[in-house]
Amino acid sequence: MIPAAFEYEVAESAEHALDLLASHGGDARVLAGGQSLLPLMKLRLATPSLLVDIGRIDGFEGVREDGDSLVVGALTRHEDVARSDLVQEHSPLLAKAAAEIGDPQVRHMGTAGGSVAHGDPASDVPAVLLALDGELVARSSSGSRTIPARDFFTGTFETALEPHELLTEIRVPKLSGVGCSYVKFHPRAQDWAIVGVAAVVHPSNGGVGRAAIALTNMGATPLRATAVEQALAQGADASSAAASAAEGTDPVSDAFASSEYRRHLAPVLVRRALEEALAR
């Protein structure tokens, strides 16, 4: 497939990118690694009039510490997130999910910020950020604002980013003394997850004291499995709590799986994720 005609501009700085976005209103799209946007353009599910290439902007890459948080630059490649010593030490859940995105080509080209800003409910990183209570930093010509992950994803391929904003940073809390796991089911390594589960578990007396569970591809946005979290808080074991994983979800039927199959699969993967997190 061939995309619809579009203009292409290389942003020389963040300010230049913001000016280009502002000049085209909602018809411009940001190009980072291109691993999510370009396939949609080839299918003509996205038809921007302008692509603003931000891949050459300095200062948007890398991982650093900021107090109790890790900060991941929006242009940091998935492979670099997965291999980062800081991420592996302080946020192993994010490192694990990044290591399982697509295939090596996608991981070496795709960016953390691009994956998040794309707003695909089948993407891995958004669910992880939801489970971690992460934050996203957006920049505009008037300044920066921080958006909690729980408020960032608003619909299928829709986020809280305004047309004139750039996503610049991903922020997650450092983890200590917790277990975590990311489990997903996909036919091939490079395929989107049919269902994925991100779990953060605070152990207590050999069981679960408190947990955050987020689901990939079980609705129009990543979802917290609140029924599972509540059951665990009330003393249920992993298997019993996982049985309610599909409550409050609205999975789609597509060429890869029916909604019924996804509802069947979610409790299985939640149980596996909880058991793996408790074993760490």
Side-chain angles (χ1 to χ4, degrees), residues 137-223:
V137 179
R139 179 174 171 181
S140 70
S141 57
S142 59
S144 296
R145 65 182 180 122
T146 300
I147 309 167
R150 63 180 177 273
D151 299 327
F152 187 81
F153 306 101
T154 59
T156 303
F157 301 121
E158 296 179 350
T159 72
L161 277 179
E162 298 292 342
H164 60 279
E165 289 183 316
L166 281 177
L167 178 65
T168 60
E169 294 178 352
I170 297 169
R171 303 178 68 91
V172 295
K174 294 179 181 178
L175 297 180
S176 178
V178 303
C180 60
S181 173
Y182 187 69
V183 176
K184 64 178 178 177
F185 179 78
H186 47 169
R188 300 171 301 170
Q190 66 266 37
D191 289 337
W192 297 106
I194 291 178
V195 175
V197 179
V200 179
V201 173
H202 299 258
S204 176
N205 299 323
V208 179
R210 181 165 54 89
I213 314 295
L215 305 175
T216 299
N217 219 3
M218 287 295 289
T221 66
L223 301 171

Side-chain angles (χ1 to χ4, degrees), residues 13 29 36 44 64 135 140 151 162 178 193 209 232 234 264:
S13 65
R29 294 289 295 271
S36 298
R44 302 207 175 191
R64 61 182 174 85
E135 297 178 329
S140 70
D151 299 327
E162 298 292 342
V178 303
L232 291 169
Q234 293 168 3
H264 169 77

Side-chain angles (χ1 to χ4, degrees), residues 233-253:
Q234 293 168 3
D237 60 26
S239 180
S240 299
S244 57
E247 288 186 19
T249 65
D250 186 23
V252 300
S253 292

Side-chain angles (χ1 to χ4, degrees), residues 21-99:
L21 291 174
S23 67
H24 280 70
D27 291 331
R29 294 289 295 271
V30 171
L31 177 68
Q35 300 303 295
S36 298
L37 177 59
L38 293 182
L40 282 190
M41 291 177 61
K42 290 180 179 179
L43 294 171
R44 302 207 175 191
L45 297 175
T47 56
S49 63
L50 171 68
L51 285 187
V52 179
D53 188 340
I54 64 170
R56 296 169 177 79
I57 296 178
D58 291 331
F60 281 12
E61 291 186 48
V63 180
R64 61 182 174 85
E65 297 179 80
D66 183 14
D68 293 332
S69 298
L70 280 185
V71 181
V72 179
L75 289 181
T76 309
R77 309 291 174 176
H78 297 307
E79 188 70 13
D80 293 330
V81 174
R83 292 178 176 270
S84 165
D85 291 338
L86 283 175
V87 179
Q88 290 179 8
E89 178 182 359
H90 297 296
S91 189
L93 176 60
L94 181 58
K96 186 175 190 298

